[in-house]
Amino acid sequence: MRLIALSVAFLIALSGSAFAQVFQGNWYCMAGDQKAGVLTIYAGSYGFASAAYGDKSSGVGSVQGYADGVTFTDGPLVSELGIQVGRLLVGEGAPSMTIENANAIVMVCTTLQNSGLAPAPQGTTPVTQ
């Protein structure tokens, strides 16, 4: 019984860490039908470049990854927009992420390679929608 429990825990740990890697990269974000900006997440940090000139939500901060997304811990998205989490939506098609404050979804982001704005890196195949 103990061996089964250890095996299940090991498999969950493996799948969780692989799934957690999905949130790292470049994301193209929309707020409703308006361009919101580009979000980059790597190694516990994020950078956000707003589509609106002079927007105070642009800048860098920290994130903490978890099984199905990230928690924003500081930086301008937290202080200016009250952003708390980014939740991954993985299924058919390209992964997407909802960026949320305590009250609502503020932005929906898709991977930059699948946004049509940037070509996929050489030697890779973009996910089709």
Side-chain angles (χ1 to χ4, degrees):
M1 187 67 168
R2 186 183 298 193
L3 181 59
I4 292 171
L6 286 172
S7 298
V8 169
F10 179 72
L11 290 173
I12 289 171
L14 280 179
S15 64
S17 63
F19 187 65
Q21 299 304 311
V22 173
F23 65 80
Q24 294 194 71
N26 298 311
W27 298 86
Y28 177 73
C29 302
M30 298 286 291
D33 61 354
Q34 301 292 312
K35 297 176 189 173
V38 175
L39 175 66
T40 300
I41 300 175
Y42 283 107
S45 299
Y46 77 86
F48 181 71
S50 175
Y53 177 76
D55 187 346
K56 292 182 180 183
S57 66
S58 293
V60 297
S62 300
V63 294
Q64 182 176 356
Y66 59 96
D68 62 347
V70 295
T71 299
F72 290 84
T73 57
D74 63 18
L77 286 178
V78 174
S79 62
E80 296 296 321
L81 299 178
I83 300 300
Q84 296 176 340
V85 297
R87 298 183 200 277
L88 283 173
L89 305 170
V90 180
E92 286 194 35
S96 61
M97 184 175 359
T98 59
I99 307 299
E100 306 172 15
N101 63 23
N103 301 315
I105 295 172
V106 176
M107 297 181 276
V108 176
C109 305
T110 58
T111 58
L112 194 55
Q113 289 92 341
N114 291 302
S115 68
L117 298 177
Q122 202 167 28
T124 63
T125 304
V127 178
T128 57
Q129 295 189 22

